[in-house]
Amino acid sequence: MPYPRDHKEKTRQKILTAAFRLFSMHGFEGVTIDELMASCGLTRGAFYAHFSGKAELYQQALSFSASDTILAGPRPKKMSSKRWLSEMLGHYLSIEHIEGHRPCPLAFLATDVTTQNDQTRQTYAEIYAEMNRAIFAIANEFGDCQEKDIPAITAMMIGAVAIARTMNNSKQASDLLACCRKEISSKLGLDD
């Protein structure tokens, strides 16, 4: 019996999802193709039907995971821009996020990506630029946010999540996230 028409794409997405999860936990060097494919219940041969090598997989997993973040999703109907940005910020700077609920690749791979090839670093930079554009577009709908301030805001968001993920003390992690959320809310005009 032949596979359904969408089988190959579903398999590719399964591999990308597992790859991002494993890369987020162990870094590029800490993940083997055999481990990845075993976690998917697939063979090593199936890997090469989708990717030419681990470096291509890493770059593709980075892009794929960025498309699944809360920021990449549509704003719910009848929700104001201000409320939507406030809710996104609340999710981004939350314990649930640092525990892996719709994780942001910018924060989860922040240090690991520096050791990757130029193309992967370029993909990371493009995702970061898109995050800046998206946040500015939303913030600009309700306030007088300055575009030049957005990179500092997003760097604080990404850094706070990356640092909070390293903390063994959940109270300290929560405090860090809350402090950054308050500062960013003020800069974006969300606290009035």
Side-chain angles (χ1 to χ4, degrees), residues 16-177:
L16 289 169
T17 300
F20 177 67
R21 182 179 48 79
L22 290 172
F23 289 139
S24 294
M25 293 187 309
H26 307 293
F28 181 81
E29 294 300 328
V31 177
T32 68
I33 292 172
D34 289 335
E35 290 168 334
L36 166 66
M37 297 310 284
S39 77
C40 295
L42 299 167
T43 65
R44 183 180 182 89
F47 173 86
Y48 291 104
H50 299 276
F51 307 99
S52 62
K54 195 165 90 167
E56 179 191 2
L57 170 67
Y58 188 95
Q59 188 252 336
Q60 293 292 319
L62 178 62
S63 293
F64 179 77
S65 61
S67 70
D68 190 42
T69 63
I70 196 164
L71 185 59
R75 178 174 59 202
K77 292 180 180 176
K78 299 183 181 179
M79 183 181 284
S80 71
S81 299
K82 189 173 189 175
R83 181 167 170 226
W84 177 231
L85 189 55
S86 181
E87 286 192 15
M88 283 191 298
L89 183 63
H91 165 77
Y92 197 94
L93 296 170
S94 71
I95 291 295
E96 293 78 23
H97 185 216
I98 67 169
E99 291 174 349
H101 182 264
R102 294 184 80 180
C104 172
L106 297 174
F108 278 58
L109 299 175
T111 57
D112 193 57
V113 80
T114 62
T115 64
Q116 302 309 307
N117 63 33
D118 290 343
Q119 184 178 6
T120 300
R121 288 194 310 275
Q122 180 63 35
T123 298
Y124 184 94
E126 289 167 5
I127 293 168
Y128 177 65
E130 184 54 37
M131 179 186 194
N132 289 325
R133 282 189 293 273
I135 290 177
F136 177 67
I138 297 167
N140 202 38
E141 288 180 23
F142 63 84
D144 60 354
C145 181
Q146 300 294 311
E147 189 171 11
K148 65 179 178 54
D149 295 332
I150 297 297
I153 289 167
T154 56
M156 186 185 306
M157 291 169 63
I158 293 164
V161 171
I163 291 168
R165 289 186 69 224
T166 69
M167 296 178 161
N168 291 328
N169 182 314
S170 62
K171 167 98 171 74
Q172 288 177 339
S174 291
D175 289 348
L176 169 65
L177 296 170

